[in-house]
mmCIF file of all heavy atoms in Angstrom:
data_model
loop_
_atom_site.group_PDB
_atom_site.id
_atom_site.type_symbol
_atom_site.label_atom_id
_atom_site.label_comp_id
_atom_site.label_asym_id
_atom_site.label_seq_id
_atom_site.Cartn_x
_atom_site.Cartn_y
_atom_site.Cartn_z
ATOM 1 N N CYS A 82 74.293 -65.245 -59.959
ATOM 2 C CA CYS A 82 73.422 -65.666 -61.062
ATOM 3 C C CYS A 82 73.329 -67.182 -61.144
ATOM 4 O O CYS A 82 74.332 -67.867 -61.080
ATOM 5 C CB CYS A 82 73.958 -65.118 -62.388
ATOM 6 S SG CYS A 82 73.100 -65.697 -63.821
ATOM 7 N N GLN A 83 72.084 -67.660 -61.254
ATOM 8 C CA GLN A 83 71.873 -69.120 -61.242
ATOM 9 C C GLN A 83 72.371 -69.726 -62.550
ATOM 10 O O GLN A 83 72.568 -70.974 -62.612
ATOM 11 C CB GLN A 83 70.351 -69.384 -61.076
ATOM 12 C CG GLN A 83 70.112 -70.321 -59.950
ATOM 13 C CD GLN A 83 68.617 -70.526 -59.691
ATOM 14 O OE1 GLN A 83 67.755 -70.186 -60.521
ATOM 15 N NE2 GLN A 83 68.286 -71.085 -58.596
ATOM 16 N N GLU A 84 72.548 -68.937 -63.559
ATOM 17 C CA GLU A 84 72.925 -69.465 -64.848
ATOM 18 C C GLU A 84 74.452 -69.443 -65.042
ATOM 19 O O GLU A 84 75.039 -70.459 -65.326
ATOM 20 C CB GLU A 84 72.247 -68.615 -65.962
ATOM 21 C CG GLU A 84 72.346 -69.158 -67.314
ATOM 22 C CD GLU A 84 71.529 -70.422 -67.579
ATOM 23 O OE1 GLU A 84 70.604 -70.728 -66.773
ATOM 24 O OE2 GLU A 84 71.798 -71.100 -68.567
ATOM 25 N N CYS A 85 75.063 -68.267 -64.846
ATOM 26 C CA CYS A 85 76.502 -68.175 -65.129
ATOM 27 C C CYS A 85 77.371 -67.995 -63.886
ATOM 28 O O CYS A 85 78.575 -68.017 -63.967
ATOM 29 C CB CYS A 85 76.741 -67.013 -66.110
ATOM 30 S SG CYS A 85 76.435 -65.435 -65.395
ATOM 31 N N GLY A 86 76.721 -67.789 -62.741
ATOM 32 C CA GLY A 86 77.481 -67.737 -61.480
ATOM 33 C C GLY A 86 78.099 -66.397 -61.154
ATOM 34 O O GLY A 86 78.776 -66.240 -60.133
ATOM 35 N N VAL A 87 77.873 -65.393 -62.014
ATOM 36 C CA VAL A 87 78.456 -64.086 -61.787
ATOM 37 C C VAL A 87 77.676 -63.415 -60.651
ATOM 38 O O VAL A 87 76.535 -63.752 -60.370
ATOM 39 C CB VAL A 87 78.358 -63.269 -63.092
ATOM 40 C CG1 VAL A 87 77.033 -62.584 -63.264
ATOM 41 C CG2 VAL A 87 79.454 -62.257 -63.169
ATOM 42 N N TYR A 102 68.897 -64.243 -61.703
ATOM 43 C CA TYR A 102 69.816 -64.210 -62.850
ATOM 44 C C TYR A 102 70.414 -62.788 -63.047
ATOM 45 O O TYR A 102 69.752 -61.813 -62.664
ATOM 46 C CB TYR A 102 69.126 -64.612 -64.158
ATOM 47 C CG TYR A 102 68.452 -65.948 -64.080
ATOM 48 C CD1 TYR A 102 67.076 -66.095 -63.860
ATOM 49 C CD2 TYR A 102 69.262 -67.110 -64.191
ATOM 50 C CE1 TYR A 102 66.526 -67.336 -63.813
ATOM 51 C CE2 TYR A 102 68.665 -68.357 -64.133
ATOM 52 C CZ TYR A 102 67.257 -68.462 -63.947
ATOM 53 O OH TYR A 102 66.706 -69.708 -63.826
ATOM 54 N N CYS A 103 71.567 -62.716 -63.603
ATOM 55 C CA CYS A 103 72.107 -61.409 -63.977
ATOM 56 C C CYS A 103 71.309 -60.895 -65.158
ATOM 57 O O CYS A 103 70.574 -61.645 -65.811
ATOM 58 C CB CYS A 103 73.608 -61.499 -64.268
ATOM 59 S SG CYS A 103 73.969 -62.428 -65.778
ATOM 60 N N VAL A 104 71.520 -59.636 -65.481
ATOM 61 C CA VAL A 104 70.695 -59.032 -66.550
ATOM 62 C C VAL A 104 70.922 -59.774 -67.890
ATOM 63 O O VAL A 104 69.934 -60.082 -68.582
ATOM 64 C CB VAL A 104 71.053 -57.537 -66.711
ATOM 65 C CG1 VAL A 104 70.298 -56.935 -67.879
ATOM 66 C CG2 VAL A 104 70.709 -56.784 -65.474
ATOM 67 N N ASN A 105 72.131 -60.142 -68.193
ATOM 68 C CA ASN A 105 72.426 -60.820 -69.491
ATOM 69 C C ASN A 105 71.702 -62.139 -69.548
ATOM 70 O O ASN A 105 71.057 -62.450 -70.565
ATOM 71 C CB ASN A 105 73.927 -61.065 -69.593
ATOM 72 C CG ASN A 105 74.665 -59.818 -69.905
ATOM 73 O OD1 ASN A 105 74.091 -58.799 -70.391
ATOM 74 N ND2 ASN A 105 76.000 -59.808 -69.673
ATOM 75 N N CYS A 106 71.791 -62.933 -68.526
ATOM 76 C CA CYS A 106 71.157 -64.226 -68.558
ATOM 77 C C CYS A 106 69.634 -64.113 -68.587
ATOM 78 O O CYS A 106 68.926 -64.858 -69.279
ATOM 79 C CB CYS A 106 71.554 -65.119 -67.349
ATOM 80 S SG CYS A 106 73.293 -65.608 -67.498
ATOM 81 N N GLN A 107 69.135 -63.126 -67.817
ATOM 82 C CA GLN A 107 67.674 -62.896 -67.806
ATOM 83 C C GLN A 107 67.180 -62.598 -69.218
ATOM 84 O O GLN A 107 66.161 -63.149 -69.649
ATOM 85 C CB GLN A 107 67.348 -61.739 -66.858
ATOM 86 C CG GLN A 107 65.880 -61.438 -66.736
ATOM 87 C CD GLN A 107 65.199 -62.425 -65.778
ATOM 88 O OE1 GLN A 107 65.641 -62.640 -64.653
ATOM 89 N NE2 GLN A 107 64.158 -63.062 -66.275
HETATM 90 ZN ZN1 LIG B 1 74.252 -64.758 -65.583
#
Side-chain angles (χ1 to χ4, degrees):
C82 174
Q83 234 176 13
E84 189 72 16
C85 69
V87 85
Y102 303 103
C103 68
V104 177
N105 286 341
C106 291
Q107 182 78 53

